[in-house]
Amino acid sequence: MHAAVCGSVLGLSALLVPDTARPATDPVPERQALMKQLGQQMKAAGNLANGQTPWGAAQAKAVADAVAQSGQTARGLFPPASANDPKTNAAGAVWQNRSDFDKRLAQMSTLARTMGKADTQAAFRASFQDLSATCKSCHDVYRKKKS
Ligand code: HEC
């Protein structure tokens, strides 16, 4: 009985391994989910910046690292083949100016890492504002306007 339960758990995790290791097969929903997650991370960071969540340097670093990581992950989720996917709100400019697009993602991660080093709430707040500006400035150029 016990062994059977164990066996089925092992079987399940074996099934899950190749799944988590697979490359992006449907990059549009994956990058949209990642961007949504970025929105949540920025909301958490904003709450720390404005004191709605009690200030803590460790929490600040954790949320900043998460944003930095998302910036790195995003780079791999914009393959050229996804440019004309009907689900995407990414503008064609992403693939026409790919190096600028990638540079902006890298810049976002760099600013997030700087934000993670803030040791006061005031420094964190200033960094948070710089970081927020990178979201909007990229969307202005590389995301289709909502009609
Ligand atoms: C380098 C450019 C770039 C940066 C920087 C960037 N985004 Fe985006 N974002 C995009 C693009 C392109 C899309 C559209 C993706 C698609 O539909 O394929 C998008 C979509 C989104 C969406 C909508 C996702 C959905 O449900 O369709 C949200 C929310 C979002 N971004 C939040 C953020 C936040 C918050 C930041 C900053 C921390 C940020 N983004 C930084 C390019 C960027």
Side-chain angles (χ1 to χ4, degrees), residues 28 31-33 35-36 38-40 42 67 78 87-91 94 100-102 104-105 108 131-132 134-136 138-139 142-143 146:
V28 175
R31 69 194 180 218
Q32 289 175 340
M35 285 285 168
K36 272 201 191 100
L38 254 182
Q40 283 157 7
M42 289 299 279
V67 172
F78 286 88
K87 295 189 291 294
T88 192
N89 294 311
V94 169
D100 178 66
F101 183 79
D102 285 348
R104 285 167 184 261
L105 283 175
M108 182 185 88
L131 179 61
S132 302
T134 67
C135 312
K136 188 182 181 311
C138 185
H139 293 161
Y142 292 109
R143 193 176 158 192
K146 288 260 154 71

Side-chain angles (χ1 to χ4, degrees), residues 13-147:
S13 58
L15 273 177
L16 289 175
V17 170
D19 192 47
T20 51
R22 84 193 144 64
T25 49
D26 202 352
V28 175
E30 285 187 42
R31 69 194 180 218
Q32 289 175 340
L34 181 89
M35 285 285 168
K36 272 201 191 100
Q37 205 178 13
L38 254 182
Q40 283 157 7
Q41 289 161 351
M42 289 299 279
K43 192 161 183 241
N47 286 342
L48 272 170
N50 68 25
Q52 209 159 314
T53 306
W55 167 253
Q59 289 90 321
K61 185 174 181 335
V63 72
D65 284 351
V67 172
Q69 184 56 52
S70 297
Q72 272 172 282
T73 305
R75 282 185 71 145
L77 294 177
F78 286 88
S82 67
N84 297 315
D85 190 307
K87 295 189 291 294
T88 192
N89 294 311
V94 169
W95 294 274
Q96 283 147 20
N97 305 311
R98 190 55 198 250
S99 61
D100 178 66
F101 183 79
D102 285 348
K103 201 172 78 191
R104 285 167 184 261
L105 283 175
Q107 222 161 33
M108 182 185 88
S109 293
T110 302
L111 283 173
R113 284 200 193 88
T114 303
M115 184 174 85
K117 292 187 187 122
D119 50 7
T120 65
Q121 192 185 7
F124 184 82
R125 194 184 305 123
S127 261
F128 175 74
Q129 279 157 3
D130 291 346
L131 179 61
S132 302
T134 67
C135 312
K136 188 182 181 311
S137 65
C138 185
H139 293 161
D140 283 349
V141 182
Y142 292 109
R143 193 176 158 192
K144 288 179 198 157
K145 303 273 172 296
K146 288 260 154 71
S147 46

